[in-house]
Amino acid sequence: MTVSAFTLNVRPDNVAVVTIDVPNEKMNTLKAEFGAQVRTILKAIRDNRALRGVVFISAKADNFIAGADINMIGRCQSAKEAEELALQGQKIMAEIHALPIPVVAAIHGACLGGGLELALACHRRVCSDDGKTILGLPEVQLGLLPGSGGTQRLPRLVGVSTALEMILTGKQLRARQALKVGLVDDVVPHDILLETAVELAQQERPLSRRLPVRERILAGPLGRTLLFKMAAKRTEQKTHGNYPAAPRILSVIETGLAQGRSSGYEAEARAFGQLAMTPQSQALRNIFFASTDIKKDPGSTVAAAPLHTVGILGGGLMGGGIAYVTASKGGLPVRIKDINAKGINHALKYSWQELDKKVRRRFIKPGERDSQMAKISGSLDYRGFAHRDVVIEAVFEDLSLKQKMVSEVEAHCAPHTIFASNTSSLPIADIAENAARPGKVIGLHFFSPVEKMPLVEVIPHAGTDEQTIATTVKLAKKQGKTPIVVADKAGFYVNRILAPYISEAMRMLSEGEPIEAIDRALVKFGFPVGPIQLLDEVGIDTGTKIIPVLEAAYGERFSAPATLVSAILNDDRKGRKNGRGFYLYPTKGRKSKKQPDPSIYRLIGVSAKGQSSGQQIAERCVLLMLNEAARCFDEQVIRSARDGDIGAVFGIGFPPFLGGPFHYMDTLGAASVVASLQQMEARYGARFAPCEALLRMAQEGKRFWPTAESEPVN
């Protein structure tokens, strides 16, 4: 007998409570097979004339409904099938809304996608004031739009401008934010959520919420025309036409407002069906499944050791960021050691500013800020380090210094203490060379800024023991990061595929391609920033350090135009951090736009003369990245195509709508990638020669991912 995900209980006060609890799942998600269960419950509610109201509530500890089961979409073979899925969802929501008695959604935890659409179909919504409670329609992040009425109900409830912002970006609202925009009717402590909802369910059904004057004007014909025109322009500037869901969202919402709900629902279901079949949605869903899969991957076959406390060596930008995520997201006490008090104070100030920002935005309460800050302490020596489970080293990229840190940690910490180096280029085996306990030495490479970048690379050397790998992966997840385990080879994975991409941009600059033309081409391709701006953001001095390391390890294909790099560095151009790089950065007043510095061309001895199209510029940079990614796969620098795609998307912003370099190469076909590389090789030289792995795959007709794309090949 199948256990129902929805159960009906009628209270003595004649309020029906529908409890949502998907069996054997941590999260409630909506599945097509639940339709019959819900309809049976709705019929029982309609048939019971004594009922005064209905409450929908979750039995899960931290979520209402986290969305619809995305696998349903993957099983659809045509746009028509996916459209039918949306129509079924719309019909169920319509039945809930049509109940003759008040219906209230009692929301605690994640209320996302189909979960919020169910809540929108209710007549009222009340949510808990818990930090876990978030509400949103994130379908756009999967290349879709809300398909169960969300595009029609949300604008009428909160106003069209707020709805557009939520649906076009996937923005999630906290409880108080949801109350402020009128998405929920009340916010209460979790322990009185059900009783509050029951009280609301016994009151008369509310009239339609009166929107603010601004929203009423924007909903009118003139305001609507202007709003959608501006929204379309902003969307195109942001997406560069790479995300077809965005313009469809605008079209569907506008249809509903201009032609009525019925037309809006039809347009929504049709658009949902068509978007589900786009390659962009398939790629974005692949990234979603890959990241979900990685979260479950322990990184090793051996169980992780317990984690109680963490130490950090170095209170600089990276050390401060690592301390912050360890204490605030990981909930672990952190002890920072630095050679001077200034470093410790810098790290503490950094955490305080980040937490205080959250207080000002009402994400956390002052008491929570204070308790998280209390987890971070500092010292000029190794006092307090004796029992640290992991010590993360975040000092300068100097091998002898890092080796000295290993010796000191081994002398002052426990035998079980793991030494994790946040190096971006030095081999972990070299760092562990003189270690007494080399099995406890590992790399843990964070990306800057630490609190924003989701990826970390976990880098075991040949002698790292399996429990150390598992424990380091566990720590990274506690810090809110997505870890990939990569091999201890020069550049690891992310920097190795990034270096030829940036070097090629430098070559084009030395050939006279304008700075802004290069960056614009790669942003249009789908990267968040262009390669030259990225170098400015990272710091030109920092970003170019790895080039000699990679050139020594892999040869000429990693060389960058030496005269260009030295000319830039000799002119004290470090990028944004000192206000001078390839761009000039304003130092005073409000944040105004950076401008390409025209004196760069004179400095490097070229004149700016755009000769290539944006497509040609993008091809040169991206093809080298793809070729290097294929080499990393073949050399087992990464464990799977899954890890390679997540590493590129989360680590360097590889266009998510392409699904990562391996998904993208599979979409193009290995033969096509090889042919493009060979054309480039004939024109620009041997660095474009396709690697053996791609030649072999092209010849054998193989892919990096299997056809089903459920699990990557190894």
Side-chain angles (χ1 to χ4, degrees):
M1 181 181 170
T2 306
V3 181
S4 179
F6 291 78
T7 54
L8 174 65
N9 175 49
V10 178
R11 292 164 46 107
D13 55 11
N14 281 326
V15 172
V17 177
V18 180
T19 304
I20 311 156
D21 191 3
V22 179
N24 308 314
E25 298 280 351
K26 190 183 172 190
M27 309 288 279
N28 283 330
T29 55
L30 297 176
K31 304 175 193 285
E33 56 266 32
F34 296 162
Q37 297 173 16
V38 177
R39 286 205 169 92
T40 301
I41 284 172
L42 294 178
K43 184 179 185 305
I45 291 169
R46 284 192 297 268
D47 289 347
N48 188 342
R49 300 300 176 106
L51 289 180
R52 299 173 63 193
V54 182
V55 171
F56 279 88
I57 194 166
S58 167
K60 302 294 186 191
D62 59 2
N63 61 94
F64 178 70
I65 299 171
D69 180 4
I70 300 162
N71 286 304
M72 293 189 298
I73 302 160
R75 289 192 287 269
C76 292
Q77 299 296 308
S78 67
K80 197 71 189 164
E81 277 184 47
E83 181 180 344
E84 187 56 36
L85 209 58
L87 288 169
Q88 290 303 313
Q90 288 178 356
K91 284 173 187 170
I92 288 173
M93 302 309 173
E95 279 191 52
I96 291 170
H97 191 74
L99 287 170
I101 51 177
V103 185
V104 180
I107 301 162
H108 171 67
C111 176
L112 302 171
L116 183 53
E117 289 182 294
L118 187 147
L120 287 168
C122 298
H123 307 129
R124 281 194 171 106
R125 288 147 295 283
V126 58
C127 68
S128 74
D129 61 0
D130 195 282
K132 293 173 184 168
T133 298
I134 48 171
L135 301 91
L137 294 170
E139 287 85 351
V140 69
Q141 293 163 5
L142 298 174
L144 300 166
L145 50 65
S148 296
T151 64
Q152 305 306 302
R153 287 198 170 92
L154 189 64
R156 288 172 172 85
L157 180 66
V158 301
V160 64
S161 65
T162 301
L164 282 175
E165 186 187 5
M166 286 181 68
I167 300 174
L168 282 170
T169 65
K171 180 181 178 181
Q172 297 173 7
L173 303 184
R174 306 263 174 170
R176 295 285 167 194
Q177 293 172 306
L179 181 65
K180 187 177 179 181
V181 301
L183 181 54
V184 299
D185 300 273
D186 203 358
V187 175
V188 298
H190 184 210
D191 55 4
I192 61 165
L193 179 65
L194 177 59
E195 290 310 313
T196 306
V198 167
E199 283 176 29
L200 280 174
Q202 294 177 81
Q203 298 172 13
E204 282 190 29
R205 278 178 56 168
L207 299 169
S208 296
R209 176 175 174 265
R210 188 168 172 78
L211 293 169
V213 174
R214 178 178 176 273
E215 290 292 353
R216 294 205 300 276
I217 291 169
L218 291 174
L222 188 62
R224 192 169 63 233
T225 302
L226 184 63
L227 176 67
F228 278 89
K229 190 175 179 181
M230 287 171 61
K233 187 179 177 183
R234 279 198 306 269
T235 300
E236 174 58 31
Q237 285 170 345
K238 193 173 180 183
T239 66
H240 302 281
N242 291 322
Y243 293 85
R248 290 305 293 273
I249 286 166
L250 287 168
S251 169
V252 164
I253 294 175
E254 191 170 19
T255 296
L257 292 172
Q259 299 174 29
R261 291 175 192 261
S262 176
S263 296
Y265 287 128
E266 283 176 26
E268 178 186 87
R270 188 166 57 251
F272 182 88
Q274 291 167 351
L275 288 169
M277 294 298 119
T278 60
Q280 292 89 344
S281 178
Q282 288 165 9
L284 289 164
R285 281 182 274 133
N286 193 57
I287 285 291
F288 173 81
F289 284 125
S291 64
T292 304
D293 198 39
I294 278 183
K295 284 171 190 170
K296 299 173 187 170
D297 186 347
S300 171
T301 52
V302 174
L307 284 166
H308 303 294
T309 59
V310 172
I312 292 172
L313 305 179
L317 192 64
M318 294 302 285
I322 296 165
Y324 168 69
V325 297
T326 306
S328 68
K329 294 187 179 175
L332 294 167
V334 181
R335 183 81 159 174
I336 303 163
K337 180 191 176 296
D338 202 287
I339 54 172
N340 61 55
K342 189 179 174 184
I344 295 166
N345 291 337
H346 173 272
L348 291 169
K349 183 182 176 185
Y350 182 89
S351 286
W352 173 266
Q353 287 173 334
E354 289 300 315
L355 289 167
D356 201 47
K357 203 187 297 175
K358 284 188 172 185
V359 171
R360 290 197 305 272
R361 292 177 179 174
R362 297 188 176 182
F363 287 177
I364 60 172
K365 293 173 182 172
E368 292 174 83
R369 174 199 60 200
D370 297 346
S371 67
Q372 288 179 29
M373 272 305 299
K375 286 185 167 69
I376 309 173
S377 60
S379 173
L380 298 178
D381 54 30
Y382 281 96
R383 275 178 296 181
F385 272 75
H387 301 292
R388 300 283 148 174
D389 300 304
V390 180
V391 173
I392 302 170
E393 165 272 300
V395 300
F396 299 114
E397 285 286 274
D398 179 278
L399 180 59
S400 59
L401 177 60
K402 289 180 189 284
Q403 288 175 336
K404 181 171 176 275
M405 297 292 102
V406 174
S407 300
E408 289 182 5
V409 165
E410 288 182 332
H412 293 95
C413 299
H416 77 275
T417 301
I418 292 168
F419 181 95
S421 175
N422 175 45
T423 178
S424 57
S425 59
L426 296 172
I428 309 304
D430 290 357
I431 293 170
E433 189 176 15
N434 304 320
R437 296 187 289 275
K440 296 295 175 191
V441 179
I442 195 166
L444 185 58
H445 178 210
F446 292 84
F447 296 82
S448 185
V450 175
E451 78 280 359
K452 288 181 182 170
M453 296 298 286
L455 188 80
V456 291
E457 291 178 306
V458 174
I459 313 125
H461 65 94
T464 304
D465 67 54
E466 288 294 323
Q467 189 178 59
T468 296
I469 299 171
T471 308
T472 308
V473 166
K474 179 181 173 181
L475 173 60
K477 289 177 183 175
K478 283 182 81 70
Q479 292 167 325
K481 301 300 176 188
T482 301
I484 58 169
V485 179
V486 302
D488 184 23
K489 293 191 175 182
F492 311 133
Y493 171 65
V494 172
N495 282 342
R496 180 168 164 186
I497 67 169
L498 182 62
Y501 164 88
I502 289 179
S503 292
E504 196 62 22
M506 294 297 101
R507 273 197 191 88
M508 286 187 274
L509 178 59
S510 67
E511 292 164 11
E513 292 294 345
I515 293 166
E516 63 272 32
I518 296 168
D519 277 348
R520 190 166 53 238
L522 274 305
V523 168
K524 185 166 177 55
F525 184 81
F527 283 89
V529 296
I532 297 178
Q533 188 189 336
L534 180 62
L535 198 51
D536 258 12
E537 297 290 343
V538 169
I540 300 166
D541 53 338
T542 306
T544 52
K545 265 182 188 172
I546 197 168
I547 292 170
V549 176
L550 292 167
E551 195 175 353
Y554 305 115
E556 200 179 320
R557 72 174 187 272
F558 276 94
S559 65
T563 51
L564 181 150
V565 173
S566 60
I568 298 292
L569 290 174
N570 290 339
D571 196 43
D572 192 33
R573 291 175 182 266
K574 294 177 182 174
R576 185 182 284 280
K577 62 185 172 185
N578 76 338
R580 296 176 75 241
F582 296 99
Y583 290 86
L584 289 174
Y585 300 87
T587 52
K588 291 180 182 177
R590 287 188 62 201
K591 223 178 183 180
S592 52
K593 281 189 175 179
K594 65 186 184 312
Q595 297 291 336
D597 186 352
S599 67
I600 285 282
Y601 306 112
R602 188 174 63 253
L603 188 68
I604 62 174
V606 299
S607 56
K609 50 181 191 308
Q611 298 170 308
S612 305
S613 69
Q615 186 181 344
Q616 288 169 329
I617 290 169
E619 263 192 345
R620 280 179 67 173
C621 291
V622 172
L623 278 169
L624 285 177
M625 182 182 278
L626 297 180
N627 204 19
E628 206 57 43
R631 282 192 183 94
C632 289
F633 181 89
D634 197 41
E635 294 170 21
Q636 296 184 313
V637 170
I638 46 173
R639 292 181 169 187
S640 62
R642 177 201 73 179
D643 290 9
D645 281 344
I646 288 293
V649 173
F650 287 15
I652 52 177
F654 188 93
F657 71 93
L658 297 176
F662 297 102
H663 181 96
Y664 183 46
M665 284 190 279
D666 281 349
T667 304
L668 296 172
S672 173
V673 177
V674 164
S676 297
L677 282 164
Q678 287 170 337
Q679 286 172 7
M680 289 285 180
E681 182 186 12
R683 188 169 179 185
Y684 298 109
R687 67 184 179 277
F688 282 97
C691 67
E692 287 301 318
L694 276 173
L695 289 168
R696 192 169 61 246
M697 291 178 80
Q699 193 174 357
E700 297 170 8
K702 284 191 172 177
R703 301 162 47 91
F704 292 101
W705 286 83
T707 308
E709 296 205 343
S710 55
E711 285 182 30
V713 291
N714 287 296

